[in-house]
Amino acid sequence: MLENLDPLTDERRAGSRSLLARRLIAAERERRRSAAALIVMSRAMGTYLVDEWGVEKSRVHWLPQGVNTELFRPVPLEARAAAAAQLDPQGRRLVGFVGSLASYQRVDVLVDAMRLLRSERDDVHLVLIGGTPERARALGAEDVATLLSHVPYEEIPRLISALDVAVLPDSNWYGSP
């Protein structure tokens, strides 16, 4: 059974002229076609596997994502205020992102937008939650953002509750709904 397929890598390999890329594509095609089942997180990914890779539709299974309602539930106002103070002791309005900071999420656009916004007003602050310290530093966001990498999953609801605005700057066609 296969999951967590990456069309971005497929596209890069398909555009390459190297022998290694062609061999990797052939191996991936065989792996996908011979798997007993392929689990996808979006219908678009299922369609991609059938149309682009020739996988039998009956072997593609869509596993819709959900939310852990025991963990992600309303946070009491006092806890929200405490989380906001932890993220920004200055009490500014918080704009935040939670994720891996992968390049396709275009967090760089969010950082640039925050710089523009901060040039006009000083009552906003960016919070980037997730990813690695190296990736966060590569964004060059230290001057406009609080960077929290490797946050335990159980902490995410409390941190999200502190945000005034949560942003997903970009996604891709096969992203989870």
Side-chain angles (χ1 to χ4, degrees), residues 83-99 101 105-119 121-130 135-149 159-160 162-169:
Q86 172 196 351
L87 294 174
D88 182 41
Q90 296 178 25
R92 296 173 285 192
R93 296 182 188 277
L94 298 177
V95 175
F97 169 83
V98 179
L101 305 180
Q105 293 170 327
R106 297 306 313 269
V107 179
D108 60 316
V109 172
L110 179 57
V111 170
D112 290 344
M114 182 55 68
R115 279 203 182 90
L116 287 172
L117 184 59
R118 290 284 297 274
S119 71
R121 52 188 306 166
D122 61 0
D123 65 338
V124 292
H125 187 65
L126 180 61
V127 179
L128 301 176
I129 303 168
R135 179 67 185 131
R137 280 192 295 276
L139 292 167
E142 293 90 350
D143 59 327
V144 293
T146 296
L147 309 171
L148 300 174
S149 61
L159 295 171
I160 289 175
L163 303 176
D164 295 293
V165 178
V167 180
L168 178 61

